Amino acid sequence: MGQLEMKTAIPLAIQHVFAMFGATVLVPILTGLNPSVALFTAGLGTLIFHFVTKGQVPVFLGSSFAFIAGIIAVGNSFGLAYATGSMIAVGAVYLLMSFIVSSVGTEKVLKLFPPIVVGPIIMVIGLTLAPVAVDMASANWPLAIFTAVTVVFVSMWAKGFFKLIPLLTGIIAGYVVAAILGIIDFAPVNEAAWLAIPSFMAPQFSISAMLIIVPIALVTIIEHIGDITTNGAVVGKDFMKEPGLNRTLIGDGLATTLAGLFGGPANTTYGENTGVLAITKNYNPAIIRMGAVFAILLSFIGKLGALLQTIPLAVMGGISFILFGMIASVGVKTLVDSAPDLSNLRNSSVVFAVLIVGIVSITGYVNPANNILLIQVSENASLTGLSLAAIVGILLNGVYELFAPKTETEEEEEADFVAKENPNLAK
């Protein structure tokens, strides 16, 4: 980049950091992991992703929301180091899926994850996190409600840049009010050094912990495919073909493995930054890489890390109400947009199997000891919650595809139903 280009590139890169910042640090704050480590692994993971994908895909990676419930469950039962150790296994699942994609093709892989499986699983992610939001908000309900209302207000009426960061704006507003009320202890910020190495954490490993977290990768892989497709549509290139879905999966998987090694949450491709691409019309992947370097540098600012950890629990509770509700809504939208014929027992049985298994085991996310739906695989390993729901949905749909594939008549009837119920989808 020339000097003139650099003057333009720096603010664009900073904007990408702002777009990913709120969500990336929110996940560790909610789960007990270190926000500075999350920033470091997001930046380094993004650089690794770009290396693997030949520097062609303008994608920023950050903390994945899908694993929040799993991290909390594992953290409560085993300790957070076992959650980050499980992220290394998640990365291995991405690498395995990349090999499968290379072997059998993208279309056949996608048949394993139709909307009737993915939609309910995403709904379960949001709904089962509801008790977590309630617990945090109960620390100070007025402050939590103010924070949530601020997010809604900014999302609906803000203009320009602020409309891109409603969650971050809500956190800042809630934090300012909490500071005015005198409920924030600034001692950790005052004591922190300006420059400090992030508190990296060595991973630990347990099959039981992995069984809680690893199956969630089946959901985030679908999220990855959707994000890469959307990113390509914005840029005007087919990244599924070049550099290829197999390479983007490897990049995402290696980034998540790296996060686990350093003690951070799983990484995932960020739609927020694709939104920035759409607005700025600047698709240069080098801008993303510059933003990744800025994120790494921010992770070494000790006072920033300390400041993030002083955010009141109630503020995060208000944010969580919005965030977890949005996650559940995405699941509903996935089903609505695909318009499956739910009068067909084949389709509806997959949907309600995922919902029932996931929601019935809701207490397992907050207190695994109270879980009322659990499959004991061995003395030290069990399946429960979202992991069990995802496996049940995928296996049930797989059984239908294998032993009772749809006839041409059924496919035509379903297509007619979709066109009748949602004519916009046929256009």
Side-chain angles (χ1 to χ4, degrees):
M1 291 184 186
Q3 185 177 0
L4 204 60
E5 282 188 57
M6 190 66 73
K7 292 180 180 179
T8 303
I10 289 176
L12 286 173
I14 292 173
Q15 185 169 237
H16 276 291
V17 174
F18 270 107
M20 59 75 71
F21 185 88
T24 295
V25 301
L26 180 58
V27 173
I29 290 172
L30 292 175
T31 57
L33 295 172
N34 188 283
S36 295
V37 174
L39 279 173
F40 177 85
T41 56
L44 191 55
T46 299
L47 294 178
I48 289 176
F49 177 91
H50 280 244
F51 175 77
V52 173
T53 57
K54 307 176 184 178
Q56 296 180 15
V57 188
V59 161
F60 211 120
L61 273 64
S63 306
S64 173
F65 288 104
F67 292 92
I68 292 175
I71 294 172
I72 292 174
V74 171
N76 288 341
S77 297
F78 306 96
L80 288 173
Y82 288 93
T84 59
S86 298
M87 298 307 167
I88 297 173
V90 168
V93 172
Y94 272 80
L95 298 181
L96 175 62
M97 186 59 68
S98 171
F99 174 77
I100 294 173
V101 168
S102 298
S103 301
V104 305
T106 303
E107 290 185 4
K108 291 184 179 179
V109 171
L110 291 180
K111 281 190 174 182
L112 295 172
F113 310 102
I116 57 171
V117 173
V118 176
I121 290 175
I122 297 174
M123 290 168 64
V124 168
I125 291 174
L127 294 174
T128 53
L129 283 169
V132 178
V134 172
D135 284 346
M136 290 189 294
S138 62
N140 189 319
W141 278 107
L143 183 58
I145 293 171
F146 169 80
T147 303
V149 170
T150 299
V151 173
V152 174
F153 180 87
V154 171
S155 180
M156 293 178 64
W157 289 294
K159 303 293 183 182
F161 176 68
F162 285 100
K163 196 172 184 67
L164 295 175
I165 52 169
L167 293 175
L168 183 59
T169 304
I171 292 173
I172 293 172
Y175 192 91
V176 170
V177 170
I180 293 172
L181 295 175
I183 59 176
I184 297 178
D185 179 12
F186 289 102
V189 180
N190 295 329
E191 295 170 1
W194 277 104
L195 295 178
I197 296 175
S199 299
F200 298 123
M201 177 173 59
Q204 296 189 46
F205 304 96
S206 163
I207 297 298
S208 299
M210 290 180 186
L211 284 173
I212 294 174
I213 288 180
V214 170
I216 303 173
L218 300 174
V219 182
T220 55
I221 285 172
I222 292 301
E223 178 187 37
H224 171 97
I225 293 171
D227 285 342
I228 296 299
T229 301
T230 302
N231 190 276
V234 169
V235 175
K237 297 181 179 179
D238 187 355
F239 294 131
M240 291 291 187
K241 292 183 178 179
E242 180 60 37
L245 178 60
N246 60 321
R247 278 186 172 270
T248 64
L249 284 170
I250 291 174
D252 206 340
L254 290 178
T256 293
T257 297
L258 176 95
L261 287 171
F262 282 98
N267 279 317
T268 188
T269 47
Y270 260 30
E272 291 92 333
N273 294 89
T274 298
V276 173
L277 295 177
I279 291 172
T280 62
K281 309 298 182 186
N282 188 305
Y283 312 133
N284 188 347
I287 302 293
I288 303 288
R289 293 193 286 273
M290 182 182 292
V293 172
F294 287 158
I296 293 172
L297 293 176
L298 282 175
S299 72
F300 286 90
I301 300 178
K303 286 192 180 296
L304 175 62
L307 184 69
L308 292 173
Q309 293 179 325
T310 63
I311 297 175
L313 200 61
V315 171
M316 301 315 300
I319 292 295
S320 297
F321 269 107
I322 302 295
L323 176 64
F324 301 157
M326 288 171 61
I327 293 173
S329 297
V330 169
V332 174
K333 186 177 184 299
T334 300
L335 279 179
V336 171
D337 286 350
S338 64
D341 180 7
L342 295 181
S343 65
N344 182 329
L345 186 60
R346 170 187 171 135
N347 291 334
S348 61
S349 63
V350 174
V351 172
F352 66 64
V354 173
L355 290 175
I356 290 173
V357 172
I359 295 174
V360 166
S361 59
I362 188 171
T363 56
Y365 289 115
V366 181
N367 184 359
N370 294 335
N371 203 348
I372 59 177
L373 183 54
L374 178 147
I375 293 181
Q376 200 71 35
V377 178
S378 67
E379 182 179 352
N380 298 315
S382 60
L383 281 173
T384 185
L386 178 60
S387 301
L388 182 58
I391 290 175
V392 167
I394 292 168
L395 288 180
L396 183 57
N397 178 73
V399 168
Y400 282 143
E401 288 289 337
L402 184 62
F403 296 105
K406 293 178 182 177
T407 64
E408 291 185 9
T409 301
E410 286 177 324
E411 290 181 349
E412 290 174 0
E413 289 177 349
E414 188 165 297
D416 291 340
F417 175 83
V418 169
K420 181 180 178 182
E421 294 298 315
N422 200 335
N424 291 329
L425 290 177
K427 296 180 180 179

